[in-house]
């Protein structure tokens, strides 16, 4: 594994393949042009934005990002689970471009357009739950979460919200209070909004006895503060930023049952897991449950800002007219991108690919669990992670060092976890098999190099 001039051989049958499907490092990373741009970035942009790789991107080729120095980087991040259909999908580009020519914005609260309604119809028809639904479109994931809380409070006339250990729901005032991790998400930003209570989860990898104890504690917490004071419980079906935590079987169905019994609105935050990422359109389908409200964002607009709250018609219509909205909510260009995403997902190939990605990741990374320092490989579909932990506890240092080594060799990886000890893989669902394998080989070598 060398850091420079790694050029995969062209395939004889396809001379263009080198451009489309090969990692290529022409310079060290970051290259000279990226370094110049980074210096200017430091002069102009707040330091408060963290950065995984200080590399500036020029264009994308499906699962490769091409930087301003001509390096081809393998994208295992998808802009944090956003570009599931690829970062330069021609169908998304065509629909968005055509819409840009027609009009860029009217504000749906001023005059309407059909694509907004079409996106809502698709979500009403495809989100889990065999009941009549309505959808509200917004712009960011956090905005969808905040609006779900508003809807649940208006519908139940109750104040309190139950969230969970290791949760991530966003960075706005309310959603950072719902997010579990203090640093960097909440630190110095208090006082936080009240009426947010945190319950335990039952991670499958740490709860061999199943979710019974965690569910008992959830019941106790609700009883302590009064079940009748809770408007909503909000849960990610696989926790993303918190460490790609898959819940023990029965945990989500247990929450569903508790919520129903106490008249609490169950909000399933599918913002990271949704739109095919886990091999089904929505991760809650793996457990056979439906939220009263399901939240989507990220992959919904393929990178154009779009989010949605889709839920029971009687909940969604419980809010007074004018109570929901936003200048940019359901922007027409983003709606066209979403309609392209729906067409692509409808063909089924990407959902199948998610299973292929999971199999390839498990084949390559599961043997590493035998090594001291590697504790677990977990996830579903194209949402996979490897956790670093040893007898001394979580090893965020190993995760950071391995991710950094992979980044230096042209594979964009992210860490996550409340202790930062997890490397997560979120490749575009259409990643070519050889690009995936090459990226995994680099990651494996990076992990072995920091463990040796
Ligand atoms: C599960 C989940 N909810 C909410 C959010 C917030 O979305 P946004 O960053 O678009 O506000 C995220 C973002 O990572 C997320 O993963």
């Amino acid at each position: 594994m060398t850091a420079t001039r790694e050029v995969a051989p062209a395939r004889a049958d396809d001379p263009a393949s080198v451009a489309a499907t090969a990692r290529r490092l022409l310079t060290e990373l970051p290259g000279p042009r990226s370094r110049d741009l980074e210096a200017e970035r430091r002069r102009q942009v707040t330091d408060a934005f963290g950065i995984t790789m200080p590399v500036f991107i020029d264009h994308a080729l499906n699962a490769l990002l091409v930087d301003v120095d001509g390096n081809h980087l393998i994208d295992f991040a998808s802009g944090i689970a956003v570009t599931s259909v690829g970062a330069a999908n021609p169908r998304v580009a065509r629909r968005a471009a055509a819409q840009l020519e027609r009009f860029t914005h009217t504000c749906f609260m001023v005059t309407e357009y059909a694509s907004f309604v079409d996106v809502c119809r698709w979500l009403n028809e495809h989100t889990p739950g065999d009941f009549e639904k309505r959808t509200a479109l917004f712009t960011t994931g956090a905005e969808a979460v905040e609006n779900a809380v508003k809807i649940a409070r208006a519908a139940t006339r109750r104040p309190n919200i139950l969230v969970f250990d290791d949760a991530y729901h966003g960075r706005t005032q309310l959603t950072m209070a719902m997010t579990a991790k203090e640093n960097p998400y909440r630190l110095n930003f208090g006082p936080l909004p009240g009426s947010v209570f945190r319950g335990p989860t039952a991670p499958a990898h740490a709860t061999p006895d199943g979710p019974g104890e965690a569910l008992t504690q959830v019941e106790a917490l609700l009883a302590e503060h009064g079940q009748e004071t809770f408007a909503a419980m909000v849960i990610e079906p696989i926790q993303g930023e918190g460490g790609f935590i898959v819940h023990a079987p029965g945990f989500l169905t247990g929450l569903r049952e508790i919520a129903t019994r106490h008249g609490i609105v169950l909000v399933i935050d599918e913002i990271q897991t949704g739109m095919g990422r886990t091999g089904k359109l929505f991760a809650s389908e793996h457990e056979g449950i439906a939220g009263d409200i399901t939240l989507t964002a990220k992959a919904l607009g393929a990178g154009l800002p779009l989010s949605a709250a889709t839920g029971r018609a009687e909940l969604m219509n419980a809010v007074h007219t004018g109570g929901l909205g936003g200048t940019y909510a359901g922007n027409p260009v983003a709606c066209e991108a979403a309609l392209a995403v729906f067409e692509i997902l409808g063909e089924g190939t990407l959902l199948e690919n998610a299973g292929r990605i999971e199999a390839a990741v498990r084949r390559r990374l599961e043997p590493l669990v035998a090594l001291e320092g590697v504790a677990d490989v977990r996830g579903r579909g194209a949402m996979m992670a490897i956790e670093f932990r040893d007898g001394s506890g979580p090893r965020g240092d190993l995760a950071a060092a391995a991710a950094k080594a992979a980044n230096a060799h042209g594979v964009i990886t992210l860490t996550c976890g409340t202790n930062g000890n997890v490397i997560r893989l979120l490749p575009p669902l259409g990643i070519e098999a050889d690009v995936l394998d090459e990226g995994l080989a680099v990651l494996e070598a990076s992990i072995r190099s920091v463990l040796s």
Side-chain angles (χ1 to χ4, degrees):
M1 195 170 71
T2 57
T4 54
R5 300 207 174 277
E6 294 175 54
V7 183
R11 287 192 219 123
D13 59 341
D14 178 10
S17 69
V18 115
T21 63
R23 181 176 61 122
R24 180 177 78 176
L25 298 189
L26 300 178
T27 70
E28 64 180 351
L29 292 174
R33 291 197 183 115
S34 275
R35 283 202 300 273
D36 283 351
L37 287 166
E38 181 64 14
E40 181 64 358
R41 180 259 205 229
R42 291 289 155 199
R43 285 190 289 270
Q44 307 299 346
V45 182
T46 169
D47 286 339
F49 277 63
I51 172 75
T52 301
M53 272 180 89
V55 159
F56 284 74
I57 300 305
D58 180 74
H59 63 280
L61 300 164
N62 192 28
L64 297 170
L65 299 185
V66 181
D67 76 8
V68 289
D69 292 289
N71 299 303
H72 291 191
L73 313 174
I74 295 178
D75 184 8
F76 277 181
S78 298
I80 320 188
V82 169
T83 52
S84 293
V85 297
N89 188 291
R91 284 155 78 174
V92 172
R94 266 198 303 275
R95 280 197 85 129
Q99 179 58 43
L100 281 166
E101 296 272 335
R102 285 199 298 275
F103 61 93
T104 53
H105 174 81
T106 65
C107 184
F108 193 74
M109 299 181 301
V110 178
T111 55
E112 301 169 304
Y113 37 93
S115 57
F116 189 116
V117 181
D118 294 340
V119 171
C120 293
R121 184 188 314 105
W122 190 96
L123 288 166
N124 292 338
E125 288 174 0
H126 290 84
T127 51
D130 188 17
F131 40 77
E132 192 181 340
K133 298 181 197 124
R134 295 288 186 276
T135 290
L137 299 184
F138 303 103
T139 310
T140 67
E143 211 187 345
V145 175
E146 293 237 3
N147 277 284
V149 171
K150 284 168 64 173
I151 294 162
R153 283 179 172 160
T156 61
R157 304 296 160 109
R158 302 171 175 184
N160 290 337
I161 306 299
L162 180 67
V163 293
F164 292 88
D165 289 341
D166 299 305
Y168 183 87
H169 297 294
R171 292 174 178 268
T172 56
Q173 283 289 328
L174 176 61
T175 58
M176 77 177 165
M178 298 168 70
T179 288
K181 190 171 176 176
E182 184 66 19
N183 189 356
Y185 303 123
R186 302 149 51 113
L187 187 70
N188 300 331
F189 297 140
L192 300 176
S195 302
V196 177
F197 297 85
R198 193 171 305 286
T201 56
H205 64 276
T207 321
D209 296 337
E213 176 57 28
L215 292 170
T216 304
Q217 287 178 31
V218 168
E219 283 278 23
L221 193 147
L222 292 174
E224 185 184 352
H225 299 282
Q227 295 93 340
E228 65 283 1
T229 68
F230 281 85
M233 54 172 87
V234 186
I235 182 88
E236 299 154 83
I238 297 176
Q239 292 179 304
E241 306 296 310
F244 278 34
I245 297 170
V246 180
H247 303 293
F251 182 67
L252 292 173
T253 44
L255 292 185
R256 174 67 279 179
E257 189 277 317
I258 292 170
T260 303
R261 189 152 35 83
H262 298 305
I264 299 170
V265 176
L266 180 65
V267 179
I268 304 281
D269 180 344
E270 293 258 14
I271 287 167
Q272 188 155 163
T273 52
M275 311 309 299
R277 172 62 48 194
T278 66
K280 293 194 184 281
L281 280 179
F282 299 96
S284 37
E285 293 174 55
H286 292 287
E287 282 267 334
I289 61 148
D292 301 305
I293 298 176
T294 297
L295 305 179
T296 47
K298 289 191 182 276
L300 175 63
L304 284 96
L306 186 66
S307 64
T310 302
R312 290 181 184 276
E314 65 273 21
L315 291 176
M316 300 297 294
N317 286 339
V319 179
H320 53 280
T321 299
L324 303 181
T327 304
Y328 301 111
N331 169 271
V333 183
C335 283
E336 289 294 330
L339 294 174
V341 168
F342 300 158
E343 278 171 26
I344 297 163
L345 287 175
E347 290 160 4
T349 318
L350 290 191
L351 295 181
E352 285 163 24
N353 279 358
R356 174 176 68 72
I357 291 167
E358 175 171 350
V361 171
R362 288 193 182 280
R363 225 177 11 253
R364 174 71 70 165
L365 298 187
E366 275 179 346
L368 302 186
V369 177
L371 303 175
E372 172 74 9
V374 179
D376 194 27
V377 171
R378 60 173 175 260
R380 276 206 172 110
M383 184 172 182
M384 297 297 295
I386 180 163
E387 180 180 356
F388 296 83
R389 176 186 294 274
D390 60 19
S392 68
R395 292 292 304 269
D397 57 328
L398 293 179
K404 206 163 165 228
N407 292 343
H409 291 90
V411 178
I412 305 171
T413 53
L414 303 169
T415 57
C416 66
T418 301
N419 298 297
N421 63 324
V422 177
I423 294 179
R424 55 173 154 169
L425 306 180
L426 291 161
L429 302 182
I431 189 170
E432 298 83 354
D434 48 359
V435 177
L436 176 65
D437 284 343
E438 190 186 10
L440 289 172
V442 171
L443 179 61
E444 179 189 350
S446 303
I447 292 169
R448 288 188 184 279
S449 72
V450 303
L451 292 177
S452 59

